[in-house]
Amino acid sequence: MNNQQDGGPLTLRDVAAAAGVSLATADRVVNGRPGVSEKTASKVNEAVQRLGFRPLAAAAELARARSWRFGVVLPRGSNRFMLDIADHIRAQADWFRARRIAVEIIETDVFDADRLAAELAGLPGRFDGVAVVALDHPRIRVAIDDLVDAGVAVVTLVSDSPSSRRRHYVGIDNIAAGRTAGSLVGRFLGRPRGDDPGGSIGIVTGSGSLRDHAERRFGFGQVMTEEYPHLTRLVPVEGRDDPERNRALVRRMIADTPDLVAIYNTGEGSVGIGEALAEAGLARRILCVGHELTPATRRMLLDGTFAALVAQDPGHEVRSMARVLHALVSGQEIIAAQEHIRVEVILRDNLP
Amino acid sequence: MNNQQDGGPLTLRDVAAAAGVSLATADRVVNGRPGVSEKTASKVNEAVQRLGFRPLAAAAELARARSWRFGVVLPRGSNRFMLDIADHIRAQADWFRARRIAVEIIETDVFDADRLAAELAGLPGRFDGVAVVALDHPRIRVAIDDLVDAGVAVVTLVSDSPSSRRRHYVGIDNIAAGRTAGSLVGRFLGRPRGDDPGGSIGIVTGSGSLRDHAERRFGFGQVMTEEYPHLTRLVPVEGRDDPERNRALVRRMIADTPDLVAIYNTGEGSVGIGEALAEAGLARRILCVGHELTPATRRMLLDGTFAALVAQDPGHEVRSMARVLHALVSGQEIIAAQEHIRVEVILRDNLP
DNA sequence: CTGTTAGCGCCTTCAC
DNA sequence: GTGAAGGCGCTAACAG
């Protein structure tokens, strides 16, 4: 790491001197601004290379003296996970302030494409950067592309709109998340032995049309088909992430499925599943795997109702969103490796 | 988040004006420096509260114009995981440079307490902050405390010395990591059914005296005893994290243990275990759980030799170390929640 | 196309 | 105990 012959830290001024140009010219080259001849530019670049110059971020930030407005579009009301996202944004207030970033959380009906599209249409001019919990819907794609065309830096958050021209997606690979859930269920149930008939697996999902849930079901199904063909998957039931609905659905599932051995919930509202099982005296006897760490799922992990959770860290996601938007608006590079959001597996024993 | 009535961003100058003092005095109060009377201080503090002032990090950093020297003491030669740590430190070079931090990696024989203690004794004066992969040994405790007394900010990395006065430990809870491994092994093997005799579990460990490995064995044993008493744990064998030794040990283990059903490796060198199993035609038939994601363990996860890994993210650890040391030397607060290093579970399906 | 110059917001001598 | 003034390294007007 001893990569600089310390004769006092290297500044742009040193580079300018070494290249025989003025500070301003060196600055133009380093920041890729126009108005410099080919040869002067290469002289400066050569000096940058030779001296190993890197601009001091703090000084650049101070001198730029620009402030930014970011908007974060989240589903209104909503579930614990989204509330956590909002809380983490507020918890980052100092980070934002220290970078002259004003953040506004905009709550809207994300599940209604028209409403969401209309909301997005009103954003240019109000914000320099926008993070949105998106829908994979043609109207949303257009709305996002319009935002991008209006010069707004756009990233999707948690739920992607991959066909849009958003600059970045902050969230997990939901197919991988579903596969992970599938492997956990399959392995936890164990290999069939002797005359073991396998059994049925119930699938509770939020809605058939949400991309993230669909991807999870898809990944789950992949693993089940490939690796655990002796297990039967029931037709997914839709509880719209609502504990009450989930409870009713699971009650019926229990009644209708004598060989039920496991339940996979692709979304929120896991607590309803736990309640239905407890009522039937089946808690801990039927294997449950769900998503996201919340007070409710934490409790059910600790009491054994749920065996494992597949999760994404909302804190990481918010910090990543902040870094990425800031990098995008201020023209810095984003370090992909650092911004990868992991699919986490949480058992009772590695609860954070 | 609309917490500032924007009339242009708030600066220390505004606070000084509001409190009726000079910039310098306001600065002294805000940074808790001496030489201000009680009443002036409270006037300033009141203004800070009322206006909701937060200093702009970039300006502070620039004005401080101080540079720091950090040293990171790592085990010499060493395994893939430690090499990854070193690589991540080099990959953070820009981050460090942008904060005027010069980092030096110091390789030493961490496993020899005297050698390590001597190395640490030579550090004061050379560094403002030191991160060390420590040993839980009285001599190391003293060496760390001496460093702290010499005014050096010290954090332990990956392996702790909890009785020392190090300011922070950057690493995972190894008991939790061992428990997690235990739950994975227990659940993957499945509940005993009918006349199922359970089986034996081999334990491969680095050395009996390393604290992290001992803690992992302890956590693993806790879960086994509590939850899976039908499984027999063999006496741990010590392979010093060396693939060759591990291979020989596992060969013998296979020969001596007809009912071997699983192997848990608390440390490195998992590849030797995989090789021994492959030779015996037992790969994928004996359940393996190990630690840390490396090219070798990744391969064995993909081919099914290992069912799961319990891991810590070296990238997170290096970034956390950097943030914490920087915060310590520059007198900033550290956000505990953000610095918690997670015990990760990696399956084939959620490989990053 | 290139150079000069005045700050960005805070910290740190140095006087008072 | 308090204040005035210069500068940290870079950027962005403005001249030339």
Side-chain angles (χ1 to χ4, degrees):
Chain A
M1 291 291 297
N2 282 329
N3 45 10
Q4 64 190 105
Q5 326 299 13
D6 243 352
L10 208 53
T11 76
L12 227 208
R13 182 168 257 111
D14 300 322
V15 173
V21 300
S22 79
L23 230 185
T25 300
D27 176 75
R28 288 183 186 109
V29 175
V30 167
N31 291 288
R33 275 185 279 271
V36 182
S37 73
E38 284 283 324
K39 51 179 98 166
T40 4
S42 60
K43 273 196 304 184
V44 174
N45 282 322
E46 190 269 331
V48 167
Q49 290 297 318
R50 188 159 50 76
L51 304 181
F53 170 77
R54 301 282 324 185
L56 188 68
E61 216 159 271
L62 179 59
R64 247 184 281 266
R66 257 211 75 167
S67 60
W68 309 104
R69 293 117 63 221
F70 290 175
V72 184
V73 181
L74 300 180
R76 184 189 325 281
S78 203
N79 54 43
R80 185 65 250 166
F81 181 77
M82 286 301 166
L83 297 175
D84 281 348
I85 291 273
D87 285 347
H88 277 104
I89 292 172
R90 283 183 275 267
Q92 284 273 92
D94 277 6
W95 190 93
F96 287 116
R97 293 222 41 198
R99 285 161 187 73
R100 292 198 188 83
I101 297 169
V103 179
E104 190 177 326
I105 295 174
I106 297 149
E107 297 198 317
T108 191
D109 189 346
V110 170
F111 300 107
D112 179 336
D114 290 322
R115 196 92 50 94
L116 175 55
E119 190 73 62
L120 294 180
L123 265 31
R126 289 179 57 202
F127 298 109
D128 308 293
V130 165
V132 53
V133 176
L135 278 182
D136 187 27
H137 185 285
R139 204 144 19 233
I140 302 307
R141 177 178 64 67
V142 171
I144 289 179
D145 288 351
D146 286 348
L147 263 181
V148 172
D149 289 334
V152 179
V154 181
V155 303
T156 49
L157 182 62
V158 180
S159 174
D160 197 14
S161 174
S163 57
S164 72
R165 301 209 311 280
R166 87 279 185 283
R167 299 286 297 273
H168 187 83
Y169 162 56
V170 179
I172 59 171
D173 174 345
N174 282 299
I175 294 180
R179 291 187 60 99
T180 304
S183 284
L184 289 168
V185 168
R187 295 206 97 126
F188 282 4
L189 287 175
R191 301 189 194 138
R193 294 184 243 185
D195 59 346
D196 187 334
S200 292
I201 299 177
I203 298 175
V204 177
T205 193
S207 136
S209 62
L210 285 176
R211 186 188 178 83
D212 49 354
H213 288 208
E215 288 183 338
R216 289 173 187 175
R217 286 196 306 273
F218 177 75
F220 187 83
Q222 272 189 331
V223 169
M224 284 293 140
T225 306
E226 289 165 12
E227 314 265 336
Y228 308 100
H230 61 291
L231 297 169
T232 311
R233 266 172 297 143
L234 300 178
V235 175
V237 294
E238 299 186 10
R240 299 196 215 163
D241 290 340
D242 177 50
E244 284 310 313
R245 283 202 186 80
N246 284 349
R247 180 159 62 174
L249 290 169
V250 171
R251 268 195 199 129
R252 184 148 5 119
M253 186 185 285
I254 292 169
D256 294 351
T257 323
D259 69 340
L260 187 70
V261 290
I263 296 177
Y264 169 45
N265 180 14
T266 69
E268 297 266 328
S270 284
V271 67
I273 295 170
E275 287 165 359
L277 289 174
E279 286 170 13
L282 289 173
R284 305 179 57 121
R285 301 196 53 76
I286 289 190
L287 175 72
C288 291
V289 170
H291 282 269
E292 311 319 351
L293 183 61
T294 64
T297 55
R298 169 185 288 273
R299 195 176 352 98
M300 293 193 296
L301 211 50
L302 286 170
D303 73 18
T305 304
F306 271 66
L309 298 171
V310 176
Q312 51 193 321
D313 185 332
H316 279 183
E317 293 182 316
V318 167
R319 288 190 283 274
S320 181
M321 171 208 79
R323 277 194 302 266
V324 170
L325 279 183
H326 184 234
L328 288 175
V329 296
S330 60
Q332 300 171 53
E333 264 184 286
I334 80 181
I335 306 156
Q338 190 175 152
E339 308 306 345
H340 175 83
I341 308 293
R342 293 199 171 191
V343 173
E344 301 182 356
V345 172
I346 307 182
L347 309 181
R348 181 199 54 188
D349 306 286
N350 68 332
L351 269 171
Chain B
M1 291 292 297
N2 282 329
N3 45 11
Q4 63 190 106
Q5 325 300 12
D6 243 352
L10 206 54
T11 74
L12 228 207
R13 183 168 256 111
D14 300 322
V15 173
V21 300
S22 79
L23 230 179
T25 300
D27 175 78
R28 288 192 259 262
V29 175
V30 166
N31 292 288
R33 277 184 279 271
V36 183
S37 73
E38 284 283 323
K39 51 179 99 168
T40 353
S42 60
K43 274 197 303 185
V44 174
N45 281 322
E46 190 269 332
V48 167
Q49 290 298 318
R50 189 159 50 77
L51 304 182
F53 170 77
R54 300 282 325 185
L56 187 69
E61 216 160 87
L62 178 59
R64 246 184 281 266
R66 251 210 82 163
S67 60
W68 308 103
R69 292 118 61 221
F70 290 174
V72 184
V73 182
L74 298 181
R76 184 187 326 279
S78 202
N79 54 43
R80 186 65 248 166
F81 181 77
M82 286 301 165
L83 296 176
D84 281 349
I85 291 272
D87 285 346
H88 277 104
I89 291 172
R90 283 182 275 267
Q92 284 273 91
D94 277 6
W95 190 94
F96 287 117
R97 294 222 38 198
R99 284 160 187 73
R100 292 197 188 81
I101 297 169
V103 180
E104 190 176 326
I105 295 174
I106 297 149
E107 297 199 317
T108 190
D109 190 346
V110 170
F111 300 104
D112 179 335
D114 290 323
R115 197 91 50 95
L116 175 55
E119 189 73 62
L120 294 180
L123 264 32
R126 290 179 55 202
F127 297 109
D128 308 294
V130 164
V132 53
V133 177
L135 278 181
D136 186 27
H137 184 286
R139 206 149 10 238
I140 302 307
R141 177 178 62 68
V142 172
I144 289 179
D145 288 352
D146 287 348
L147 263 182
V148 172
D149 289 335
V152 178
V154 181
V155 303
T156 48
L157 182 63
V158 179
S159 173
D160 196 14
S161 174
S163 57
S164 72
R165 301 207 312 280
R166 87 280 185 282
R167 298 286 296 275
H168 187 82
Y169 162 56
V170 179
I172 59 170
D173 174 346
N174 281 300
I175 294 180
R179 291 187 60 98
T180 303
S183 283
L184 288 169
V185 168
R187 295 204 96 126
F188 282 3
L189 288 176
R191 301 192 194 134
R193 294 183 244 185
D195 58 346
D196 186 334
S200 291
I201 300 177
I203 298 174
V204 177
T205 193
S207 136
S209 62
L210 285 177
R211 184 187 178 83
D212 49 353
H213 288 207
E215 288 182 338
R216 288 174 187 176
R217 287 196 306 274
F218 177 75
F220 186 84
Q222 273 188 329
V223 168
M224 284 293 140
T225 306
E226 289 164 13
E227 314 264 336
Y228 307 99
H230 61 291
L231 297 170
T232 310
R233 266 173 296 144
L234 300 178
V235 175
V237 295
E238 300 186 9
R240 300 197 213 162
D241 290 340
D242 177 52
E244 283 310 312
R245 284 202 186 80
N246 284 349
R247 180 159 62 174
L249 291 169
V250 171
R251 268 194 199 131
R252 184 147 4 117
M253 186 185 284
I254 291 169
D256 294 351
T257 322
D259 70 339
L260 188 69
V261 289
I263 296 177
Y264 170 43
N265 181 15
T266 69
E268 297 265 330
S270 285
V271 68
I273 296 171
E275 287 165 359
L277 289 175
E279 286 170 14
L282 289 173
R284 305 181 57 124
R285 301 196 54 76
I286 288 189
L287 175 73
C288 292
V289 170
H291 282 268
E292 311 318 352
L293 183 61
T294 64
T297 56
R298 170 186 288 272
R299 194 176 352 98
M300 294 192 296
L301 212 49
L302 286 170
D303 73 19
T305 305
F306 271 66
L309 298 172
V310 176
Q312 52 194 320
D313 185 332
H316 278 183
E317 294 182 315
V318 167
R319 287 190 283 273
S320 181
M321 172 209 80
R323 278 195 301 267
V324 170
L325 279 182
H326 184 234
L328 288 175
V329 296
S330 61
Q332 300 171 54
E333 264 183 284
I334 80 181
I335 307 155
Q338 190 175 152
E339 307 307 344
H340 175 83
I341 308 293
R342 294 199 170 189
V343 174
E344 300 181 358
V345 172
I346 307 182
L347 309 181
R348 182 200 53 186
D349 306 287
N350 69 331
L351 270 171

